[in-house]
Amino acid sequence: MTSAKLGKRILQVEVTNVSSHGFWLLIGGKERFLAFEQFPWFRDASIKALTNVEFPSPHHLYWPELDVDIAVESIDHPDRFPLVSKARPNKPSQRTRKTARR
């Protein structure tokens, strides 16, 4: 009896690890790190949202739940992309206390 030939790998991008400092992506056999300091819009994302990453075209990543697009080149060569997002994580809004009187 012989084993069947392995199929073609269909997952082109995968989140392999998440830490308090950022997360690692495996893209085409190469692992890359995205620091929350440089990519702050991922900081408060759920694991579900982080791992739901698509590779819609070569060298382009998209997180549909977060509506975030980034070029792989910006991860590999941050010096070529000197602008870093000034986005700050969303903070829960503070509710004011109002007493209802009837």
Side-chain angles (χ1 to χ4, degrees), residues 27-75:
I27 306 167
K30 182 176 179 184
E31 198 163 42
R32 294 160 169 96
F33 181 69
L34 284 82
F36 293 140
E37 186 175 300
Q38 289 181 302
F39 300 95
W41 49 88
F42 295 115
R43 182 177 286 123
D44 293 327
S46 68
I47 297 296
K48 180 181 179 237
L50 277 180
T51 58
N52 183 17
V53 56
E54 299 174 359
F55 205 42
S57 63
H59 313 291
H60 177 93
L61 299 166
Y62 179 63
W63 283 262
E65 291 181 45
L66 304 171
D67 195 27
V68 172
D69 294 270
I70 58 173
V72 174
E73 187 178 7
S74 69
I75 302 167

Side-chain angles (χ1 to χ4, degrees), residues 74 76-82:
S74 69
D76 291 341
H77 305 286
D79 53 311
R80 295 181 190 165
F81 300 85

Side-chain angles (χ1 to χ4, degrees), residues 6 9-10 25 42 50 55 66 75 80 82 85 95 102:
L6 291 176
R9 184 180 171 123
I10 58 170
L25 284 176
F42 295 115
L50 277 180
F55 205 42
L66 304 171
I75 302 167
R80 295 181 190 165
S85 171
R95 292 186 175 186
R102 290 191 172 201

